[in-house]
Amino acid sequence: MRRRRLVRAGHARTAGDRVSTAGLAVVMLVGLMLIAIVERTLLAGGIPPAVRLPALTPPDALPARAAPAVPPTSPPAVVELEPQVRRLTAAERTGAARAAYGVEPGAQPLAAATRFTQDRTWAFGTSVIPVPDRVPAMPQVALFLAHWDGSRWRMALSGDVGFRMLLRVVPTTLLAAEEIRALARFSVGPTGAPHLMLPWRVGDSWTMTALPQGNRPLASLTFDGGDGRVLAAADGWLYRFCAVPTGAALVMIVHQNGLATVYNRLTGLNGQSDGTAVRQGDPVGRIGAEHPCGGAVPDRPGLQFGLRQGTGDVAFNSMVLGGWIFRENKSPFVGWAERGFSEVTTGGVLPNFGPVDPQILSVPRPVPTPS
Amino acid sequence: MTPTFTTLGSPRLSMGFDRFERLDLGRHRAMHGRIPPLSLGDLIELVERVDLRGRGGAAFPFGRKLAAVSTTGPPAVVLVNAAEGEPGSLKDATLLTRAPHLVLDGALLAAAALHAREVVVGVVEGGPGESSLREAIAEREPRVPVRVVGLVERFISGEGGALVRAASGDVPIPPGRKVRASTSGVDGFPTLLSNAETFAQLAVLASLGPELFASAGTPREPGTVLLTVAGATVVEVAAGTPLRTVLEHCEVDPGQGVLVGGYHGAWLNPQAAASAVVSRAGLEAVGGTLGAGIVLPLGHGVCPLEEVIGVTTYLAAQSAGQCGPCRLGLPDVVRTLSELAAGSGGIAAVRRAVGIGRGRGACNHPDGTARFVSSALEVFARDIEIHRDHGTCGLPTGVSLPLPRDDTAPRLTIDWARCAGHGVCAYVVPELVHLDRNGYPVLVNSPMPAWVEREARRAVAMCPALALRMTGGR
Amino acid sequence: MNPRPMDEPVTPKWLLPVLANVAIAVLAGTATPPGAAAVAAAQSFLLLYAGVFALVGMSLTMIVGLVATDRSLLGIRHRVLAQAVHRASSMAAMAFLVAHLVVKILAGHARAADAVVFRPTALGLGALAFDLLLMVMITGLLRAWFAAGTRPGLWRTLHVISYFAWPVAIVHGLTAGRQAAGWVTWGYVLSLVTVGLALLTRVLLVVRPVDPVREALEPDSPRRETSVRPTAVRR
């Protein structure tokens, strides 16, 4: 009897030890998470302004918000804003740009504050790291949101945690509630894919030219042909980058589910301001031979087209555009668009079927029959 | 306490002890002469002619040890065990203090024969033997390097395996698996390990020659034996001397019984003690053992069961706590004995508890303890009966047998005003606490072994009534 | 047999260096883009759930602690285990509580002072609960010290603060932040009521006079502090 009790005592000791170990493991895990979060917060420029609002309520469920009533202790230093954004972009995004461009990005980032609240304590805008000469890559772009807390600008780039934090408290006088929602999804990562069409008139056929970069065969995808008019691939909010006086620019349209389409080398922009809501098929601009955000000089006018979210480019693989499924294969290293049993590679011609599901039209491949 | 030393018959190891407090190199040479070096074959032959046995307790033939070391390849180490862990034994300390050169002579003789790389002497750290030994090494220039390893005095530190580990720079506890020292001993070299008295006997043997050596003692066990009587007197007697003569010579009474062979030995009842002779065969004939030559008579007027409990408690606390028979088996023996003394237990329970460790464990500690307790059950049967019937024998309690006092060890105490008999402590440290019939704790009254301290602290922290606490401690 | 040395420390020696290396790796990894994304996910997770986990852990700690103390519900074996669970869950709850505070402050949802200064708002209740729980945790850590001291009873008096801190924390959890789902509210109310009832039972049990049966059996039971002898003398 006593013997059995003694033996069991050993068991309970080890079971208790195991429970303690589990508790200790939780503590250590949480501690490691905390130091990482503290580091990130410091890298992103410190603690964002303390604004007491219910956290994490979907933006559209909130009444229209006003800018904080507390008057700032000193007027916003608007002149400092864009340099600060440039520095933040350089600090946070140079690594990603290096990876995307394949070389060290040479030039300083460009930043443009495009929208302010009336009291100038809130600002929104765009920033981009220019592509080095002779590199055909897609420019690395970001949106920024900044708030003057009375003494300094608190800011974050799309894709950062801080961006979502600021989106939660940004006044609706700066960004519309729907736009806030789309930007939040853009920053975190899209939910599902929208029905995209190819960015030209439905029914027209354009030539596809693909250049590989890194591990992506379709890293730089260029289209040209037809009437040269570029149309929005889906509904969304339009943002301009690297706008130059000649009217050339890069345009990004953030769609409602958070995925963005990027249109580079555009000319003849309609003059839409940042944040203009566009519908699918709305004209965005015309194809051009300029390269406003840097990079290789194109040999002929065309549209450099890409997909984007939060901090980086989105691969075309499995994406459906204009009734085509795009594929980016690593081995063999080749990219193409397929529809049913027709496949189009670089140099081929793609007809735009519009925002349709390719499965509906797909027919089984013909099975070779013995003759 | 310096032990008194006497001799029965002609002195051998103790030659010159009557005139000199310590035999330095000059006096030693005058007494024993210069021992000529011997080849290994000659040495083995010499040893086997008188059947010299290890004097540490196991009585392993010394010649076989020598042969076992010599047949293996790499250079050997001679390891002298002078760190007797038993509180009742003083002979090795006496030898080292008074005749260190005799021990060194024997060790160096064996080392020269084996072409050993070094001689290591394990001694009780800070004891009188250590300084005397170091002085002796300084006095002579040994051809083989001699190293002294100090050990903290502890019962199991006297165990051979523990000594090998200490000499190799490890924690001095017995190794978990039995490894022959002769195959892989100190630092992995083949090691000739024996007790200090064995090496002293070897020196005497080489000095006297086999015929003269065998002039004392019995034909089967020639020579003399060092005994430690009553934990106070070291006596050199010729083997075959009646135990009664030794006791009379030392002026002690057999009392209620005589413990021979130390705390791993066995109790003899007064009749057996009166008829026994001091030799391995003579003591085994009456159910005892010569062991390390410890003779502890238990005087009248003390409660023998309390004495046995005190010694067993000490043995349990001295365990290294590295194997089950020691960790839980020995405290269990203490507990069943305590219950027996209180009149609530039974002899059968003690026997069961004792049987648990038999033939198992990392060393012979549980086995030796079992022999000690089992023999006590026989010899003190009458006293146990009184205890069973009355819960006490009325004799004053308090341990009279020699035990080192360790007041620095922490103890568990119970705040009886708070204790509500939850029983958590008995569950967490079954080694130290068990429950009485009403579910209240009964503490094992022993200095807390180091290996159980953590669990004891846990028990203190877990007591739901905050009634347990730990006092003392380092 | 058991080769494990018994004086081996609770936390192994290699833990600290390994932990330091992991921390350095985490600090370095956080600076990379994928690391940043992972940290962003961790931050949103902690923003949403650290408080919830702290509150759930605290509730578990309360219930298990209460159960472990009382002998009517569990056997010794399970009470010892329950004590381990009590300590482990309280540790985890405190970790999540600290994470909750740090993350909320870093996100700008609260200022550092809000974490400790009581004000009659939903946030202030959280601060009050935190202060009280901090004290409870300290008493918990010092339990052995109290047991060895002159007034072990003081420990219980101090540790009882948890019975005030916990409901305050629950009220904070239900009133501050996002709207709690109905079942969550009911779950908390249910555990509050359960613990309340268990507490009432316990108080009634403890406060009743000493067991008369035991008194009759052992009229001269030792009621003094002593080091017990192995032979408890009975006549």
Side-chain angles (χ1 to χ4, degrees):
Chain A
M1 182 59 212
R2 159 162 299 142
R3 183 55 38 191
R4 270 181 52 211
R5 190 171 64 73
L6 292 178
V7 170
R8 283 206 323 244
H11 275 294
R13 284 179 189 175
T14 48
D17 280 348
R18 242 176 265 142
V19 169
S20 309
T21 309
L24 211 61
V26 171
V27 172
M28 288 187 288
L29 189 69
V30 172
L32 289 174
M33 277 159 100
L34 279 188
I35 62 169
I37 290 169
V38 168
E39 182 190 348
R40 235 20 265 184
T41 310
L42 292 178
L43 285 179
I47 301 170
V51 181
R52 186 90 24 85
L53 274 174
L56 290 174
T57 318
D60 53 352
L62 284 177
R65 304 181 202 133
V70 184
T73 48
S74 70
V78 177
V79 287
E80 287 175 16
L81 178 61
E82 288 183 0
Q84 273 189 34
V85 174
R86 281 202 288 275
R87 281 199 294 279
L88 179 65
T89 308
E92 282 198 7
R93 299 294 159 89
T94 301
R98 191 185 302 123
Y101 300 165
V103 293
E104 190 67 35
Q108 281 298 306
L110 306 173
T114 54
R115 279 191 265 175
F116 285 94
T117 50
Q118 207 144 35
D119 59 2
R120 304 238 143 194
T121 56
W122 283 90
F124 179 86
T126 61
S127 81
V128 57
I129 298 183
V131 186
D133 292 348
R134 287 187 290 281
V135 174
M138 190 57 122
Q140 294 294 305
V141 296
L143 300 171
F144 76 82
L145 197 51
H147 173 60
W148 180 260
D149 68 354
S151 58
R152 51 182 277 201
W153 287 104
R154 312 276 185 174
M155 57 179 62
L157 298 178
S158 53
D160 288 350
V161 177
F163 193 76
R164 271 190 84 190
M165 307 285 170
L166 287 173
L167 275 181
R168 288 193 194 118
V169 289
V170 67
T172 41
T173 49
L174 187 74
L175 301 175
E178 280 284 293
E179 191 182 2
I180 292 174
R181 192 152 60 161
L183 288 176
R185 286 181 185 147
F186 170 68
S187 189
V188 173
T191 53
H195 284 289
L196 297 174
M197 66 175 210
L198 286 165
W200 58 84
R201 203 166 68 189
V202 175
D204 281 6
S205 295
W206 287 26
T207 306
M208 175 173 97
T209 312
L211 285 173
Q213 173 86 51
N215 60 358
R216 289 187 49 202
L218 302 181
S220 170
L221 196 58
T222 318
F223 297 110
D224 65 278
D227 55 4
R229 284 202 306 149
V230 175
L231 311 182
D235 298 355
W237 286 268
L238 179 148
Y239 305 94
R240 272 190 300 183
F241 298 78
C242 318
V244 292
T246 58
L250 179 149
V251 163
M252 177 165 80
I253 298 176
V254 175
H255 306 293
Q256 274 146 353
N257 72 329
L259 188 72
T261 44
V262 185
Y263 312 78
N264 194 14
R265 301 179 188 160
L266 290 182
T267 57
L269 291 174
N270 282 359
Q272 297 110 322
S273 62
D274 259 12
T276 306
V278 293
R279 312 287 303 174
Q280 190 165 51
D282 281 356
V284 180
R286 298 184 58 80
I287 58 173
E290 295 190 51
H291 47 115
C293 294
V297 182
D299 50 359
R300 57 187 164 141
L303 165 72
Q304 193 180 23
F305 183 73
L307 302 177
R308 206 171 162 80
Q309 67 144 76
T311 51
D313 292 328
V314 175
F316 279 104
N317 195 25
S318 303
M319 285 293 180
V320 178
L321 293 112
W324 295 84
I325 304 177
F326 281 73
R327 299 289 181 198
E328 286 192 79
N329 203 345
K330 295 212 171 73
S331 177
F333 190 67
V334 63
W336 71 90
E338 66 184 32
R339 180 178 168 83
F341 47 83
S342 51
E343 291 180 354
V344 176
T345 56
T346 178
V349 173
L350 278 178
N352 185 7
F353 292 97
V356 292
D357 193 338
Q359 309 303 332
I360 299 167
L361 288 176
S362 69
V363 283
R365 282 162 190 263
V367 180
T369 47
S371 52
Chain B
M1 180 186 69
T2 29
T4 52
F5 189 94
T6 66
T7 312
L8 250 174
S10 60
R12 288 272 182 84
L13 307 182
S14 54
M15 213 193 295
F17 280 20
D18 49 349
R19 272 170 287 164
F20 306 113
E21 189 53 38
R22 175 177 181 276
L23 274 71
D24 61 17
L25 190 59
R27 289 167 183 164
H28 168 73
R29 291 266 191 265
M31 291 293 161
H32 297 278
R34 191 180 286 273
I35 297 171
L38 287 171
S39 76
L40 184 63
D42 291 346
L43 187 64
I44 292 177
E45 198 196 330
L46 175 70
V47 163
E48 288 191 339
R49 277 186 65 180
V50 297
D51 190 22
L52 184 64
R53 300 281 185 122
R55 300 301 176 96
F60 193 81
F62 191 68
R64 294 236 306 266
K65 261 189 198 177
L66 273 171
V69 173
S70 70
T71 51
T72 45
V77 173
V78 173
L79 179 54
V80 183
N81 185 357
E84 46 204 349
E86 292 214 32
S89 173
L90 298 165
K91 60 167 184 163
D92 288 347
T94 307
L95 269 181
L96 279 192
T97 317
R98 305 190 64 174
H101 288 287
L102 197 61
V103 177
L104 284 175
D105 264 355
L108 288 167
L109 179 68
L114 287 167
H115 303 290
R117 59 196 302 271
E118 67 171 342
V119 171
V120 183
V121 188
V123 297
V124 173
E125 189 149 44
E130 189 184 357
S131 52
S132 165
L133 178 68
R134 287 188 192 280
E135 210 176 306
I137 294 168
E139 281 169 21
R140 61 201 291 166
E141 282 161 9
R143 267 169 300 170
V144 182
V146 180
R147 184 153 63 94
V148 180
V149 174
L151 287 102
V152 177
E153 186 172 4
R154 198 170 167 190
F155 195 85
I156 53 151
S157 61
E159 210 264 351
L163 184 66
V164 168
R165 287 183 59 140
S168 310
D170 272 341
V171 185
I173 56 172
R177 280 174 303 129
K178 291 195 165 84
V179 183
R180 276 179 194 282
S182 58
T183 319
S184 174
V186 178
D187 299 327
F189 292 103
T191 297
L192 176 72
L193 164 64
S194 204
N195 165 270
E197 187 199 338
T198 321
F199 285 103
Q201 294 281 8
L202 181 66
V204 168
L205 171 63
S207 147
L208 296 179
E211 286 80 15
L212 210 52
F213 185 85
S215 65
T218 67
R220 293 182 61 92
E221 296 174 41
T224 59
V225 178
L226 283 186
L227 297 179
T228 314
V229 179
T233 313
V234 178
V235 53
E236 183 179 17
V237 298
T241 312
L243 182 58
R244 190 170 50 178
T245 317
V246 176
L247 293 179
E248 278 165 8
H249 179 76
C250 297
E251 294 166 354
V252 290
D253 186 84
Q256 309 182 58
V258 180
L259 177 67
V260 290
Y263 294 151
H264 277 175
W267 286 97
L268 303 180
N269 59 37
Q271 294 77 36
S275 66
V277 292
V278 178
S279 71
R280 292 194 309 278
L283 287 171
E284 270 160 30
V286 293
T289 164
L290 179 59
I294 296 168
V295 177
L296 285 170
L298 185 67
H300 291 288
V302 291
C303 169
L305 199 48
E306 283 289 334
E307 300 280 340
V308 170
I309 291 169
V311 171
T312 315
T313 302
Y314 161 77
L315 290 174
Q318 287 297 303
S319 142
Q322 60 175 343
C323 61
C326 270
R327 263 177 57 74
L328 293 172
L330 296 187
D332 221 22
V333 173
V334 175
R335 214 173 295 139
T336 48
L337 279 173
S338 302
E339 281 166 10
L340 188 62
S344 61
I347 293 185
V350 182
R351 286 198 199 286
R352 209 165 38 240
V354 161
I356 291 289
R358 194 155 286 165
R360 295 161 67 208
C363 62
N364 62 0
H365 186 56
D367 253 1
T369 309
R371 177 165 50 207
F372 171 81
V373 174
S374 302
S375 66
L377 293 182
E378 310 278 338
V379 172
F380 304 123
R382 267 203 57 213
D383 184 74
I384 289 167
E385 262 175 45
I386 298 172
H387 271 276
R388 193 182 60 205
D389 297 343
H390 305 284
T392 173
C393 63
L395 290 170
T397 60
V399 182
S400 69
L401 292 173
L403 285 179
R405 294 298 308 163
D406 187 6
D407 294 326
T408 58
R411 267 166 194 281
L412 284 181
T413 54
I414 292 170
D415 182 345
W416 286 106
R418 299 194 63 83
C419 180
H422 283 275
V424 172
C425 47
Y427 184 77
V428 177
V429 268
E431 291 93 343
L432 297 179
V433 188
H434 73 283
L435 299 181
D436 66 11
R437 280 176 305 195
N438 300 320
Y440 281 86
V442 176
L443 297 178
V444 172
N445 186 26
S446 72
M448 189 181 299
W451 45 267
V452 85
E453 233 180 275
R454 200 181 107 201
E455 302 296 341
R457 285 191 197 289
R458 181 177 293 189
V460 169
M462 287 187 109
C463 174
L466 293 109
L468 201 63
R469 61 186 64 178
M470 221 154 129
T471 53
R474 289 152 274 231
Chain C
M1 296 282 91
N2 182 8
R4 178 166 74 108
M6 287 313 291
D7 31 10
E8 161 187 307
V10 188
T11 51
K13 232 183 275 172
W14 50 261
L15 186 70
L16 209 62
V18 166
L19 203 60
N21 281 322
V22 170
I24 288 168
V26 165
L27 281 174
T30 305
T32 65
V39 173
Q43 191 168 3
S44 343
F45 168 78
L46 285 182
L47 264 174
L48 272 173
Y49 295 114
V52 180
F53 279 30
L55 206 50
V56 169
M58 230 177 282
S59 308
L60 183 71
T61 306
M62 293 296 297
I63 293 164
V64 172
L66 193 55
V67 164
T69 320
D70 202 276
R71 69 176 105 190
S72 53
L73 240 60
L74 294 179
I76 298 284
R77 173 175 156 74
H78 293 106
R79 284 174 65 191
V80 168
L81 200 59
Q83 281 206 25
V85 173
H86 174 74
R87 269 195 309 276
S89 65
S90 69
M91 258 192 326
M94 273 322 269
F96 277 113
L97 183 53
V98 169
H100 175 67
L101 296 176
V102 169
V103 168
K104 289 286 178 189
I105 290 169
L106 288 185
H109 293 186
R111 284 165 301 157
D114 290 336
V116 284
V117 179
F118 170 70
R119 264 172 290 116
T121 60
L123 209 63
L125 280 183
L128 178 67
F130 174 64
D131 293 339
L132 293 176
L133 283 170
L134 208 59
M135 210 157 141
V136 172
M137 187 188 72
I138 290 169
T139 60
L141 291 176
L142 291 180
R143 192 180 197 277
W145 182 80
F146 276 101
T150 48
R151 295 185 58 195
L154 188 63
W155 178 81
R156 185 139 286 157
T157 317
L158 289 175
H159 211 62
V160 150
I161 295 173
S162 57
Y163 290 115
F164 300 99
W166 181 54
V168 171
I170 286 187
V171 171
H172 163 77
L174 292 179
T175 53
R178 60 190 185 282
Q179 184 68 43
W183 63 271
V184 175
T185 313
W186 282 113
Y188 282 128
V189 168
L190 199 68
S191 41
L192 269 175
V193 170
T194 314
V195 169
L197 283 178
L199 194 60
L200 196 69
T201 323
R202 189 169 141 65
V203 166
L204 290 179
L205 280 175
V206 168
V207 169
R208 77 177 172 172
V210 180
D211 189 349
V213 180
R214 184 173 281 147
E215 284 292 289
L217 274 175
E218 290 184 313
D220 56 352
S221 61
R223 287 237 169 246
R224 67 212 144 81
E225 186 168 331
T226 167
S227 177
V228 187
R229 297 198 34 72
T231 52
V233 177
R234 276 188 210 91
R235 288 173 187 89

